[in-house]
């Protein structure tokens, strides 16, 4: 074998493939220690407006700040005497009414940042706002709970790439938008020939590239096989987000060896004409989520599944001149599950009389939620993963 030429071929292949779901790095050698529970993270990208999601319909300060954007009390779906849901979220309300939703108000962090990229990095890495990290909180979970995992499919993000949240120092998740496409990409005759002709001798770079390729090809075949094992009879919305949740449901029902699923719904940066855009997205979210939960519940999988929905920040309390809202700070966060410890409204509504430079002040540090999920759901050492101790919440 011409080592230099072979190295260039494989390096080129691997470099290009890192941009596709078929080749994502992993340094695993055996299965993760699992308690059989599944965690599904839903990221609402762009900064969802929490005040028009969970509406303080009895608060005059809300209507004074949003004279044309505020949702009237007659429209909201009332949750209690103070707060109600955006009227497009009827499917979500049905889950709430069944005791399957916990609403956490005013979730954020100290010294918040209004930049999309920076705030999302903070949420992904679970660091302070003045700290920077190259690993995500879920990636570190894999690092600490995956004693040499064999495959990169232990954490699957339903996308072409990987969020920082799922990247560890030693272990990373697998990005899969379409299992069939991923599998076909690894069945190329040239790739198969490369996989069969592994390098011998002391070629560290070549060995690593071959290892990455082999693990990914194995995971691609495994995920593709599992995605065809169980085809759901549940009807899902005909849109991209509905398709993603349907795929996750089918994988869960197939008993796939994946513990965490990560999925995003984007478009929530509503600076202009917010109402129509946000309503459309919240309707998509609510309808797909209801179908997903009903599917898992029908098949006896909901008590072992926890869903967490978050956004990188909320919006400003006052509307802007373009019929929208600008970047804010604290926001609501949802937990959805079949066996929640504290369903309903977990904490009081945001205090609109005590704002932080026109923004909602946080009541709950988001890392308290992470610590609760890690410790009480995944059975992990939350302090080790998050780097310090955060008080857990009575939610799971």
């Amino acid at each position: 074998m011409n080592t230099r030429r072979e190295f260039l071929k494989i390096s080129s292949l691997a470099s290009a493939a890192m941009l596709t779901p078929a080749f994502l790095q992993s340094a695993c050698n055996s299965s993760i220690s699992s308690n059989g529970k599944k965690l599904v993270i839903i990221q609402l990208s762009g900064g969802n407006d929490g005040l028009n999601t969970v509406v303080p319909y009895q608060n005059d300060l809300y209507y004074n700040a949003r004279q044309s954007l505020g949702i009237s009390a007659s429209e909201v779906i009332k949750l209690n005497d103070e707060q109600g849901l955006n009227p497009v979220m009827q499917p979500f309300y049905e889950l709430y009414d069944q005791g399957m939703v916990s609403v956490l108000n005013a979730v954020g962090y100290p010294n918040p940042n209004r930049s999309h990229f920076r705030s999302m990095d903070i949420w992904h890495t679970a660091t302070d706002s003045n700290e920077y990290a190259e690993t995500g909180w879920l990636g570190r979970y894999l690092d600490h709970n995956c004693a040499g995992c064999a495959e990169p499919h232990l954490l699957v993000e339903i996308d072409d790439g990987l969020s920082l949240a799922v990247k560890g120092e030693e272990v990373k998740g697998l990005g899969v938008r379409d299992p069939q496409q991923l599998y076909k990409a690894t069945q190329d005759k040239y790739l198969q020939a490369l996989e069969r002709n592994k390098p011998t001798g002391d070629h560290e770079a070549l060995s690593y590239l071959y290892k990455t390729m082999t693990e990914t090809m194995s995971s691609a075949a495994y995920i593709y096989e599992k995605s065809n094992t169980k085809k759901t009879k549940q009807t899902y919305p005909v849109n991209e987000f509905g398709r993603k949740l349907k795929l996750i449901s089918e994988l869960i029902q197939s008993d796939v060896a994946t513990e965490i699923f990560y999925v995003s719904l984007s478009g929530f940066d509503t600076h202009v004409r917010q109402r129509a855009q946000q309503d459309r997205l919240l309707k998509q979210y609510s309808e797909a989520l209801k179908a997903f939960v009903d599917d898992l519940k029908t098949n006896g999988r909901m008590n072992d599944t926890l869903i967490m929905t978050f956004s990188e920040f909320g919006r400003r309390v006052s509307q802007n001149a373009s019929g929208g809202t600008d970047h804010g700070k604290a926001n609501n966060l949802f937990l959805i599950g079949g066996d929640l410890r504290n369903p309903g409204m977990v904490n009081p509504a945001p205090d609109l009389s005590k704002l932080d430079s026109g923004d909602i002040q946080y009541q709950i540090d988001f890392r308290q939620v992470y610590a609760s999920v890690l410790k009480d759901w995944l059975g992990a050492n939350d302090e080790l993963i998050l780097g310090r101790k955060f008080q857990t919440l009575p939610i799971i």
Side-chain angles (χ1 to χ4, degrees):
M1 177 179 71
N2 186 322
T3 301
R4 181 177 181 276
R5 182 166 57 185
E6 195 73 356
F7 174 76
L8 290 174
K9 284 182 179 179
I10 301 173
S11 297
S12 176
L13 170 67
S15 297
M18 290 295 177
L19 301 177
T20 75
F23 291 85
L24 295 170
Q25 296 183 45
S26 173
C28 295
N29 291 324
S30 70
S31 295
I32 197 166
S33 175
S34 173
N35 59 12
K37 294 183 177 180
K38 306 295 185 183
L39 174 64
V40 180
I41 306 291
I42 300 176
Q43 174 181 304
L44 304 182
S45 301
N48 178 45
D49 179 22
L51 284 178
N52 272 22
T53 302
V54 182
V55 183
Y57 68 91
Q58 293 282 33
N59 197 320
D60 290 340
L61 295 174
Y62 165 75
Y63 291 107
N64 291 338
R66 300 185 171 204
Q67 295 189 10
S68 64
L69 190 57
I71 301 175
S72 68
S74 62
E75 292 180 85
V76 303
I77 306 169
K78 295 178 176 58
L79 300 178
N80 57 23
D81 292 339
E82 294 183 79
Q83 294 178 283
L85 288 173
N86 185 303
V88 303
M89 298 181 70
Q90 178 63 34
F92 185 90
Y93 172 72
E94 292 173 21
L95 299 177
Y96 182 93
D97 195 46
Q98 295 169 23
M100 301 184 71
V101 177
S102 293
V103 177
L104 286 73
N105 289 301
V107 180
Y109 55 91
N111 303 310
N113 193 300
R114 290 198 186 101
S115 161
H116 288 295
F117 301 106
R118 181 64 193 130
S119 190
M120 190 61 82
D121 277 357
I122 293 167
W123 276 82
H124 281 178
T125 60
T127 56
D128 288 338
S129 60
N130 62 347
E131 296 178 333
Y132 293 81
E134 295 182 356
T135 59
W137 71 287
L138 295 171
R140 294 196 299 274
Y141 166 76
L142 292 179
D143 281 341
H144 291 297
N145 290 271
C146 182
C149 314
E151 307 292 350
H153 58 251
L154 298 167
L155 190 161
V156 170
E157 181 163 0
I158 311 300
D159 206 338
D160 287 334
L162 287 180
S163 301
L164 178 56
V166 307
K167 296 179 180 179
E169 184 175 351
E170 298 294 333
V171 185
K172 296 176 175 64
L174 177 70
V176 183
R177 181 181 291 273
D178 183 332
Q180 183 177 17
Q181 178 184 349
L182 179 141
Y183 176 69
K184 285 183 176 179
T186 63
Q187 298 308 298
D188 179 87
K189 292 181 180 179
Y190 175 64
L191 300 188
Q192 294 287 325
L194 286 178
E195 198 276 332
R196 288 192 299 270
N197 293 280
K198 297 178 178 64
T200 58
D202 187 18
H203 304 295
E204 183 176 349
L206 274 174
S207 296
Y208 174 76
L209 290 169
Y210 270 102
K211 180 176 182 292
T212 299
M213 180 177 67
T214 300
E215 289 176 352
T216 302
M217 292 173 74
S218 174
S219 278
Y222 175 76
I223 291 293
Y224 177 60
E225 176 189 358
K226 285 296 185 180
S227 70
N228 289 304
T229 300
K230 176 74 175 181
K231 292 300 182 182
T232 181
K233 297 179 180 179
Q234 178 71 39
T235 300
Y236 281 78
V238 184
N239 54 49
E240 181 69 7
F241 186 64
R243 187 195 68 78
K244 289 179 178 181
L245 291 190
K246 180 181 179 182
L247 173 58
I248 294 174
S249 177
E250 290 178 339
L251 289 172
I252 289 175
Q253 292 179 53
S254 74
D255 294 319
V256 69
T258 301
E259 191 170 45
I260 301 171
F261 297 89
Y262 201 98
V263 62
S264 298
L265 177 62
S266 61
F268 286 92
D269 195 17
T270 51
H271 291 280
V272 180
R273 295 187 295 276
Q274 172 179 301
R275 186 69 190 269
Q277 181 175 343
Q278 189 194 27
D279 284 3
R280 175 178 57 81
L281 291 170
L282 289 178
K283 188 171 187 290
Q284 283 186 27
Y285 164 76
S286 299
E287 290 177 345
L289 179 68
K290 178 66 163 54
F292 180 63
V293 172
D294 285 350
D295 199 3
L296 293 182
K297 190 176 179 182
T298 298
N299 290 279
R301 306 306 296 261
M302 198 56 217
N303 282 357
D304 292 327
T305 302
L306 178 69
I307 306 161
M308 185 183 85
T309 301
F310 81 99
S311 195
E312 69 264 36
F313 47 59
R315 316 295 292 189
R316 314 230 49 194
V317 174
S318 295
Q319 69 178 72
N320 61 30
S322 301
T325 51
D326 299 322
H327 300 176
K329 296 178 182 176
N331 203 359
N332 40 49
L333 179 150
F334 303 135
L335 294 173
I336 302 97
D339 191 25
L340 295 174
R341 184 175 170 187
N342 194 1
M345 309 302 292
V346 173
N347 59 318
D351 188 346
L352 300 188
S353 68
K354 296 179 180 178
L355 300 180
D356 177 11
S357 301
D359 293 314
I360 294 170
Q361 296 194 53
Y362 83 97
Q363 298 177 27
I364 297 173
D365 192 310
F366 74 93
R367 292 163 294 186
Q368 292 180 259
V369 182
Y370 287 3
S372 304
V373 169
L374 289 166
K375 180 181 179 181
D376 298 332
W377 187 255
L378 296 177
N381 186 328
D382 55 297
E383 185 173 0
L384 180 66
I385 293 166
L386 298 178
R388 67 178 193 266
K389 190 65 179 175
F390 291 92
Q391 182 179 0
T392 57
L393 303 167
I395 50 179
I396 303 168

